Amino acid sequence: MPDSGQKTTQGHISDSAPAAPAAPAAPVTPAAPIPPVAAARRVGLLVTLVLGGLSALPPLSMDMYLPALPEVTGALHAPAATVQLTLTACLAGMALGQLVVGPMSDKWGRRRPLLVGMVVYVLATAVCALAPTAELLIGFRLLQGLAGAAGIVIARAVVRDLYDGVEMARFFSTLMLISGVAPVIAPVIGGQILRVTDWRGVFHVLTVIGLLLTLVVWRFLGETLPPERRHEGGVGDALRTMRGLLADRVFTGYMLAGGLAFAALFAYIAASPFVVQELYGASPQTFSLLFGLNSVGLVIVGQINGKLLVGRVSLDKVLGWGIGIILLSSLALLLMTSGVFGEVGLAPVAAGLFVLMSAMGLALPNTNAQALMRTRHAAGSASALLGTSSFLVGAVASPLVGIAGEHTAVPMAVVQLTCAALSLACFLGLCRPWRTGKEATGV
């Protein structure tokens, strides 16, 4: 093929990958679908960045807003627990939206549902900046989450379309590197925005980011699910597909283990602005710096996972290490925040949170890869179930961390320890990582 992009019915997949050697055979017509194996070898840097951007949308929507949470409580005259529901609403929207968008992408392809979702996300984010009350902001954040779900679920489904096995696990680690930049810079950007404007300015910036990402998706991300691999059924067929996936004990084990690990992470996300700023007296800028350092740890460990461990150590073993470290760091945080070691300052607590966040780089990409490896069909539905479980459990964890008020970090540590223990129990009890043969591969 003479050009560097692989043409599809709705766009091209890459403009930066090397061209395949020209062949004397008849030219491929524009309507020809992308052969998945060939497409996997032609994905260029630009498309990788687009998928990373879609994966970065949730941390952008959440983390850029975090330094403004204390300000929102005063501006809208609402208690902290109510303002934390703006995070819960966005998470719940992203969870429920994935259940709709995932099966839609299996039926109609990846591109059209993604573009519709991105447009609605931009509009909802713009409206968030105008919300006069906490209740209306919660409602608009729910809509923002429902629409933003398209980017999350379809990005994972596209990876499943293009990759398999160890290659897929490595690509998920690459996405973690790209999307991991978002939580590093998002709180910093949010803190700087608060220097020059109020919390509404955060949503103005998110609107611009969403608009730019929508334009890039429209221009550069082509269709990766050819028509012959799409599902023709309606809602009933989608529900039967999901029921079949949930009947797979090992898939469900990975889904629950990953979702509970994500809930431990989100307990930190929801509680840390109040713990760091209200309990320990740090400024929004200091909080942003600490949050960014923790995200750097996650990115670095994620790259160690993808570049050094995957292909050399079994994914289950690495996943077990990750969940075990999350469990131990959560226990250390509970001992510190409950006063077992006396009065501790910000530094020891920040160190415990750093270890917990870094261990997510071992747990999250490997739960996704192991679960999706068992779904040769219906990658959209499988991706939707993975995302929905994570965001729903995270949405439940969010208000629990503030149940005892703003002046104690014990609820955060209790939620993290509980989620980590349940994650390990699901991994060992349902996935049974010592299994071999057909049960291990899902074939």
Side-chain angles (χ1 to χ4, degrees):
M1 183 172 291
D3 60 11
S4 60
Q6 178 72 27
K7 299 292 183 183
T8 71
T9 58
Q10 301 182 45
H12 59 276
I13 191 69
S14 174
D15 66 349
S16 60
V28 177
T29 63
I34 302 175
V37 175
R41 298 295 178 261
R42 291 188 173 93
V43 171
L45 175 61
L46 182 55
V47 172
T48 303
L49 291 174
V50 172
L51 295 177
L54 294 173
S55 301
L57 203 59
L60 280 176
S61 300
M62 297 291 176
D63 302 343
M64 193 181 294
Y65 173 62
L66 290 179
L69 281 179
E71 180 182 324
V72 175
T73 61
L76 298 183
H77 308 289
T82 299
V83 173
Q84 283 176 328
L85 287 176
T86 62
L87 296 177
T88 301
C90 190
L91 267 183
M94 288 180 179
L96 297 175
Q98 290 182 70
L99 287 178
V100 177
V101 177
M104 284 174 57
S105 73
D106 283 336
K107 181 177 181 179
W108 293 314
R110 313 302 186 200
R111 181 175 167 85
R112 282 185 291 173
L114 175 58
L115 287 172
V116 171
M118 292 298 298
V119 170
V120 177
Y121 172 87
V122 170
L123 296 176
T125 305
V127 175
C128 283
L130 306 176
T133 66
E135 291 75 16
L136 287 174
L137 180 59
I138 291 170
F140 293 142
R141 288 280 280 175
L142 176 65
L143 179 60
Q144 182 191 40
L146 287 169
I152 308 166
V153 67
I154 292 179
R156 272 197 304 264
V158 168
V159 174
R160 184 63 184 94
D161 290 341
L162 300 179
Y163 291 96
D164 200 359
V166 170
E167 292 291 330
M168 181 167 56
R170 285 181 175 148
F171 197 86
F172 273 125
S173 291
T174 300
L175 285 188
M176 180 163 286
L177 171 63
I178 300 169
S179 62
V181 173
V184 173
I185 65 173
V188 178
I189 294 174
Q192 298 307 311
I193 290 173
L194 294 178
R195 285 180 175 271
V196 297
T197 184
D198 60 6
W199 63 271
R200 299 180 189 275
V202 175
F203 287 106
H204 291 144
V205 174
L206 284 172
T207 301
V208 174
I209 293 173
L211 179 60
L212 292 175
L213 185 56
T214 302
L215 294 174
V216 172
V217 167
W218 174 76
R219 175 66 179 84
F220 296 108
L221 186 62
E223 185 57 69
T224 60
L225 185 67
E228 63 269 19
R229 291 176 53 200
R230 298 177 189 176
H231 293 189
E232 297 300 329
V235 175
D237 183 68
L239 292 176
R240 283 190 294 273
T241 299
M242 289 186 176
R243 186 167 62 248
L245 291 170
L246 291 175
D248 180 352
R249 171 180 50 78
V250 180
F251 173 86
T252 301
Y254 286 123
M255 180 188 73
L256 292 176
L260 288 162
F262 180 84
L265 181 149
F266 197 75
Y268 158 72
I269 291 176
S272 59
F274 298 98
V275 170
V276 174
Q277 297 181 71
E278 302 294 333
L279 187 58
Y280 290 100
S283 68
Q285 289 70 38
T286 300
F287 163 73
S288 300
L289 176 62
L290 291 175
F291 196 95
L293 289 174
N294 290 340
S295 301
V296 168
L298 187 151
V299 170
I300 291 174
V301 174
Q303 291 314 290
I304 292 173
N305 173 70
K307 305 297 184 184
L308 299 179
L309 299 179
V310 171
R312 295 180 175 88
V313 183
S314 74
L315 297 183
D316 277 335
K317 184 175 292 187
V318 177
L319 175 56
W321 290 346
I323 297 175
I325 295 171
I326 293 170
L327 180 65
L328 292 176
S329 58
S330 300
L331 177 60
L333 284 167
L334 178 59
L335 294 176
M336 286 188 288
T337 57
S338 61
V340 171
F341 301 128
E343 291 293 330
V344 298
L346 177 58
V349 173
L353 292 172
F354 177 83
V355 174
L356 184 145
M357 281 283 285
S358 299
M360 296 293 171
L362 300 178
L364 298 184
N366 290 326
T367 51
N368 283 332
Q370 288 286 68
L372 287 173
M373 261 191 264
R374 302 181 64 83
T375 59
R376 299 186 185 279
H377 308 288
S381 296
S383 177
L385 287 173
L386 290 172
T388 296
S389 62
S390 296
F391 283 98
L392 279 181
V393 179
V396 172
S398 173
L400 292 179
V401 300
I403 199 169
E406 306 172 21
H407 304 295
T408 176
V410 171
M412 176 190 73
V414 169
V415 171
Q416 289 172 332
L417 181 60
T418 302
C419 290
L422 291 174
S423 176
L424 184 61
C426 290
F427 174 59
L428 296 177
L430 296 176
C431 301
R432 299 176 186 173
W434 53 85
R435 70 196 187 284
T436 58
K438 291 184 177 181
E439 187 184 8
T441 59
V443 298

